[in-house]
């Protein structure tokens, strides 16, 4: 017991040490640097709407609109919100500096042509300007003009961040959307068209039937994770004459998408509907080769034995109902374990996929109705026999007709009544 108390005390002491260290690390700079007595400026990063930076290589301009930062110069493009956030936080921290008495501004990169000049504008239209010079040789500091015009050294390397490559400030993700706002995805390629539509946990594949929600989610995440490795330097062409793929994602905010062109040393050329263009390696683009079998539910019936509460089966007028009580399936007139085996067999009856459109459902021979909850039901109608080996099936909620093996249906039925 005493050893346990010692271990607990040791853990608590360690936690206290970590908390004290975090408190020390997060203490404002002015508390850690009592020599920083020269006011520089006061900037609230959250209140800024425009940042203009005069750099040795030209102007960098960032503009905030509707809560999002965009690049206006040296190129118009979406800005990487995280990188802009880091930049603004660094500007906000430049409040006070260590005064450099009797300093000649020219010696510190703060003469007539400062190394960097940044002007910020807040939501009220008020502007402030900061002149930034060289980095200090020691101490991880940067020289700036204090509010009174004298030279001061502030903590950090704010000048270096303001001179970062503009490509590092551009949004590299090809498409921007919220997965919950997507209603349809279309991928057109030389091998055919994959069209998936739906919402929540109900998705459909044209030419198939139900889509697997997890596979749809993987597709949406994969498309959203595509990133430009490098950007097209000049103005992007208006379009790709014969794209290898054309991707369209329809959302509540409107459609987004891109076209895929030819590959080369920089990668595969990709251009978005909004005109952003660049190159991506071929490996991330491999997901565009998916077809219906990659995202479709491979099973003929929307039946998960561990989730369903009841299954009603009608095969040509021969009906039976299986009910799950906790983990046990029972059916009137059938002895265990036949009902459970029949449900499990139904759950894995496969869909037979063919690229050409399947025949329409012209008559209803039977059905499988799955009850998931009090008001949550899924039903599939089973129709006529085609080509002596399949029956046509159709989900009542929608989707395309599909084929189910007659042999697999017979096998599931015989399990109950064997």
């Amino acid at each position: 017991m005493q050893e346990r108390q010692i271990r607990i005390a040791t853990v608590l002491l360690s936690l206290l040490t970590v908390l004290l260290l975090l408190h020390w690390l997060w203490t404002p700079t002015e508390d850690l640097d009592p020599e920083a007595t020269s006011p520089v400026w006061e900037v609230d990063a959250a209140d800024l709407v425009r940042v203009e930076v005069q750099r040795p290589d030209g102007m960098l301009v960032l503009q905030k609109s509707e809560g999002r930062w965009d690049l206006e110069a040296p190129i118009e493009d979406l800005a990487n919100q995280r990188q802009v956030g880091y930049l603004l936080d660094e500007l906000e921290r430049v409040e006070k500096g260590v005064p450099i008495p009797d300093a000649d501004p020219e010696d510190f990169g703060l003469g007539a042509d400062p190394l960097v000049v940044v002007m910020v504008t807040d939501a009220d239209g008020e502007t402030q300007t900061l002149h930034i010079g060289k980095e200090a040789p020691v101490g991880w500091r940067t020289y700036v003009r204090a509010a009174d015009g004298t030279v001061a050294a502030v903590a950090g390397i704010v000048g270096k961040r303001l001179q970062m490559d503009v490509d590092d400030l551009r949004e590299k993700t090809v498409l921007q959307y919220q997965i919950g706002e997507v209603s349809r995805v279309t991928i057109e390629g030389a091998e055919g068209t994959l069209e998936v539509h739906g919402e929540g946990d109900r998705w459909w594949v044209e030419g198939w039937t139900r889509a697997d929600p997890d596979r749809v989610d993987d597709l949406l995440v994969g498309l959203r994770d595509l990133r430009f490795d490098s950007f097209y330097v000049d103005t992007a062409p208006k379009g790709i004459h014969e794209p290898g793929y054309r991707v369209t994602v329809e959302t509540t905010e409107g459609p987004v998408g891109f076209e895929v062109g030819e590959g080369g040393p920089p990668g595969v050329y990709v251009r978005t509907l909004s005109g952003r263009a660049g190159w991506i390696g071929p490996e991330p683009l491999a997901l565009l080769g998916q077809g219906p079998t990659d995202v479709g539910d491979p099973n003929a019936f929307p039946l998960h034995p561990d989730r369903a509460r009841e299954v009603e089966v009608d095969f040509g007028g021969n009906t039976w109902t299986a009910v799950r009580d906790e983990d046990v399936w029972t059916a009137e007139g059938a002895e265990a374990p036949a009902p459970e085996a029949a449900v499990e067999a139904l759950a894995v009856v496969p869909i037979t996929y063919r690229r050409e459109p399947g025949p329409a459902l012209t008559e209803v021979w039977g059905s499988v109705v799955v009850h998931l909850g009090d008001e949550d039901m899924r039903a599939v109608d089973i129709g006529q026999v085609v080509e002596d080996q399949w029956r046509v099936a159709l989900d009542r909620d929608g989707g395309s007709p599909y084929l189910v093996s007659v042999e697999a249906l017979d096998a599931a039925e015989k399990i109950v009544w064997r």
Side-chain angles (χ1 to χ4, degrees), residues 91-342:
L91 291 177
E92 185 179 68
R93 285 194 292 269
V94 182
E95 293 185 8
K96 294 181 180 180
V98 178
I100 310 296
D102 303 321
D104 182 353
E106 198 72 42
D107 296 336
F108 297 88
L110 293 165
D113 295 311
L115 189 63
V116 175
V117 179
V118 54
M119 184 176 73
V120 297
T121 305
D122 62 24
D124 295 327
E126 298 294 329
T127 63
Q128 295 188 68
T129 301
L130 177 65
H131 291 192
I132 301 172
K134 301 176 182 178
E135 291 180 34
V138 295
W140 201 63
R141 298 179 186 274
T142 302
Y143 299 115
V144 301
R145 282 274 193 177
D148 61 3
T150 60
V151 177
V154 297
I157 50 175
V158 61
K160 180 172 290 186
R161 185 172 291 279
L162 289 169
Q163 295 182 79
M164 67 190 301
D165 192 311
V166 68
D167 277 0
D168 293 330
L169 283 169
R170 299 174 72 174
E171 179 57 66
K172 289 184 170 58
T173 54
V174 178
L175 301 179
Q176 294 80 44
Y177 58 81
Q178 298 296 321
I179 291 178
E181 297 177 353
V182 176
S183 59
R184 185 181 299 270
V185 178
T186 305
I187 302 176
E188 303 170 76
E191 297 298 318
T193 298
L194 173 66
E195 185 174 346
V196 185
H197 60 92
E199 62 179 339
D201 62 351
R202 304 243 176 147
W203 289 84
W204 310 91
V205 183
E206 290 299 318
W208 185 267
T209 180
R210 297 172 307 279
D212 184 319
D214 291 334
R215 296 181 182 185
V216 173
D217 190 66
D218 289 342
L219 175 61
L220 294 177
V221 171
L223 290 174
R224 195 180 61 176
D225 284 348
L226 289 174
R227 298 168 61 85
F228 287 112
D229 295 324
S230 58
F231 291 99
Y232 195 82
V233 177
D234 301 317
T235 303
K238 293 186 179 299
I240 298 174
H241 178 57
E242 294 183 356
Y245 289 101
R246 180 180 289 109
V247 178
T248 306
V249 180
E250 297 181 18
T251 77
T252 55
E253 300 295 321
V256 296
F258 60 90
E259 295 179 335
V260 178
E262 297 181 353
V268 180
Y269 180 71
V270 173
R271 184 184 185 277
T272 70
L273 297 181
S274 62
R276 306 182 73 222
W279 286 272
I280 301 176
E283 293 83 5
L285 294 172
L287 85 166
L288 302 183
Q290 295 188 41
T293 58
D294 296 301
V295 294
D297 184 344
N299 300 316
F301 307 113
L303 171 58
H304 299 275
D306 58 340
R307 301 180 200 169
R309 291 170 48 178
E310 183 178 317
V311 180
E312 301 175 38
V313 180
D314 179 351
F315 285 171
N318 187 11
T319 64
W320 54 276
T321 300
V323 179
R324 182 170 65 90
D325 183 7
E326 294 184 351
D327 294 328
V328 179
W329 284 95
T330 60
E332 186 177 350
E335 297 182 358
E340 180 174 355

Side-chain angles (χ1 to χ4, degrees), residues 14 25 30 78 102 152 173 231 277 299 378:
S14 300
L25 289 172
E30 55 267 30
L78 300 174
D102 303 321
T173 54
F231 291 99
N299 300 316
R378 303 294 298 272

Side-chain angles (χ1 to χ4, degrees), residues 393-417:
L394 181 64
D395 196 302
R396 291 181 190 173
D397 288 340
S400 304
Y402 54 97
L403 300 178
V404 183
S405 165
V406 170
E407 184 179 355
L409 294 174
D410 289 345
E413 181 181 24
K414 289 175 181 177
I415 290 175
V416 178
W417 307 113

Side-chain angles (χ1 to χ4, degrees), residues 369-390:
V369 180
V370 180
H371 296 271
L372 300 171
D374 294 337
E375 298 181 359
D376 193 359
M377 180 190 77
R378 303 294 298 272
V380 173
D381 289 324
I382 306 168
Q384 74 277 13
V385 175
V386 296
E387 300 177 25
D388 298 326
Q389 55 183 323
W390 297 298

